[in-house]
Amino acid sequence: METSRVKPGFNGVGAGLDGSSRRGGGYMGGVGGPAAGGGRAAAPVDACGVALRVFVLAATLVAAVVMVVDRQTRTIEITLTDTLPPLQVPVTAKWSYSSAFVYFVVANAMVCVFSAAALAACRRRGAVVPVMVGDLLALALLFSAVGAAAEFGILGERGNSHVRWARVCNVYGAFCERAMAAVIVSLLAAFANLVMLMLAILAIHKNSSYY
């Protein structure tokens, strides 16, 4: 009687997501075979994935810190009447005055913490799927935060004549420059996260004999 042949893949027979594939490579920790003594061996570390994740961690940390410490105080002259001298009023611009910048700081801080946790779990096979899901959420957070902060920065740089919003970056030039630098660093982190996720999907595709 001919033995039925089952194609290995995600059904748990042969290669699968449980790390029992005979091919090397994988996501952050890679995919390898079981330990010779019957236990589960620690997954080999993917150097490229670790390097990208370290860059994401550092970039999001720098972006959040630069935005948090960014502030500038300028003295504005306010004229009440023509007979009185203008008042010299110090006005401070800071990140907490904008909901877009607050969201930017929170999103980058969350991705930074998640990247640190993912690095700590990079050798655990059971963390592959949770880390991938977290990377998807981190990618969405970063791109949405960058978009919100960039839109607010462009509004401060150019203003909006339709609703009579004057531009403010001509007054708070240093504040706007530092804020845009933080946005650029966070955008680089977002693209690095995207590349890391694409490499992870390719690695899982190559390590599975289902296709």
Side-chain angles (χ1 to χ4, degrees), residues 6-21 40 208-210:
V6 180
K7 193 170 185 180
F10 291 104
N11 56 4
V13 180
L17 288 177
D18 58 353
S20 59
S21 172
R40 298 180 64 89
S208 174
S209 57
Y210 183 78

Side-chain angles (χ1 to χ4, degrees), residues 44-186:
V45 176
D46 180 15
C48 181
V50 171
L52 285 172
R53 194 171 294 282
V54 170
F55 176 79
V56 172
L57 188 153
T60 51
L61 178 62
V62 169
V65 171
V66 169
M67 186 65 78
V68 167
V69 301
D70 186 18
R71 66 173 58 195
Q72 184 180 7
T73 301
R74 296 295 301 270
T75 301
I76 307 298
E77 293 186 355
I78 299 179
T79 302
L80 297 179
T81 61
D82 296 335
T83 59
L84 296 176
L87 297 177
Q88 305 290 328
V89 179
V91 181
T92 301
K94 55 188 304 185
W95 66 278
S96 58
Y97 295 160
S98 166
S99 57
F101 287 165
V102 171
Y103 175 63
F104 177 86
V105 171
V106 172
N108 278 270
M110 291 176 62
V111 175
C112 181
V113 172
F114 166 75
S115 298
L119 281 174
C122 66
R123 295 185 67 88
R124 297 178 56 185
R125 297 182 187 278
V128 173
V129 175
V131 168
M132 286 194 67
V133 174
D135 280 333
L136 287 171
L137 296 177
L139 189 65
L141 273 176
L142 284 179
F143 275 114
S144 62
V146 167
E151 190 277 335
F152 189 79
I154 293 175
L155 183 63
E157 178 69 28
R158 301 179 180 178
N160 191 325
S161 60
H162 299 286
V163 293
R164 299 183 181 278
W165 288 348
R167 65 192 189 103
V168 296
C169 286
N170 58 329
V171 179
Y172 300 99
F175 173 82
C176 292
E177 290 175 1
R178 289 190 290 265
M180 285 297 104
V183 170
I184 292 174
V185 173
S186 183

